[in-house]
Amino acid sequence: MPSSTSSPAPSPTGSSPYYFKGSPLTVRFNRVVGRLARYGISIAGTAELSVLGRKSGRPQRIPVNPHTHAGERYLVSARGHSQWVRNMRAAGGGELRVGRRVRPFTAVELPDEEKLPVLRTYLEKWGWEVDRYFQGVTAGSSDEEITACAADHPVFRIELKS
């Protein structure tokens, strides 16, 4: 995604959970990427996430980078505690779409102490796109550095429904 000129919100050690708000250009670009996924064009494996809004009850759609690690599927919020994360916590699942293929799923949030291997492999695959949201932490960072940023990046294990 394009670089953002916005700055991150404070981390959980500050006054509110970490969230890196996208610039207007990034927001527009994400709309295009999500629309492409909806019409069947996936850029580097992206999909459109649809999750019900916790207040409105209406579907919220956003492009995401589904990630597979050790045979399990995950969604990682590179930007932190975003609205889709809050909605996912309330809904417990959603749908991933690429074209006509819609895959409903349930989601369970991982505790921070289980995130290290998932975050490392996520950064190995998607770092070219998301490194800037991890405040200097990369796939090559130490276990301690990745673990230190784990609370800022919610991770959900997803299980596709049959």
Side-chain angles (χ1 to χ4, degrees), residues 91-109:
E95 295 178 337
L96 291 175
R97 172 189 296 268
V98 177
R100 293 183 181 179
R101 186 174 184 196
V102 178
R103 298 173 293 167
F105 65 87
T106 58
V108 175
E109 188 168 2

Side-chain angles (χ1 to χ4, degrees), residues 38-121:
R38 192 175 320 140
Y39 293 116
I41 301 168
S42 175
I43 299 173
T46 59
E48 181 186 61
L49 167 67
S50 179
V51 60
L52 292 180
R54 64 196 181 285
K55 295 178 183 176
S56 70
R58 288 180 279 163
Q60 176 194 16
R61 294 182 175 93
I62 186 167
V64 293
N65 300 324
H67 179 62
T68 301
H69 170 74
E72 301 275 354
R73 295 177 186 188
Y74 298 91
L75 292 176
V76 176
S77 181
R79 292 189 185 180
H81 297 266
S82 62
Q83 293 301 318
W84 79 257
V85 167
R86 293 171 181 157
N87 291 336
M88 186 68 68
R89 287 172 177 151
E95 295 178 337
L96 291 175
R97 172 189 296 268
V98 177
R100 293 183 181 179
R101 186 174 184 196
V102 178
R103 298 173 293 167
F105 65 87
T106 58
V108 175
E109 188 168 2
L110 295 186
D112 293 343
E113 57 273 7
E114 294 179 21
K115 294 178 185 178
L116 173 63
V118 177
L119 289 174
R120 184 174 303 285
T121 58

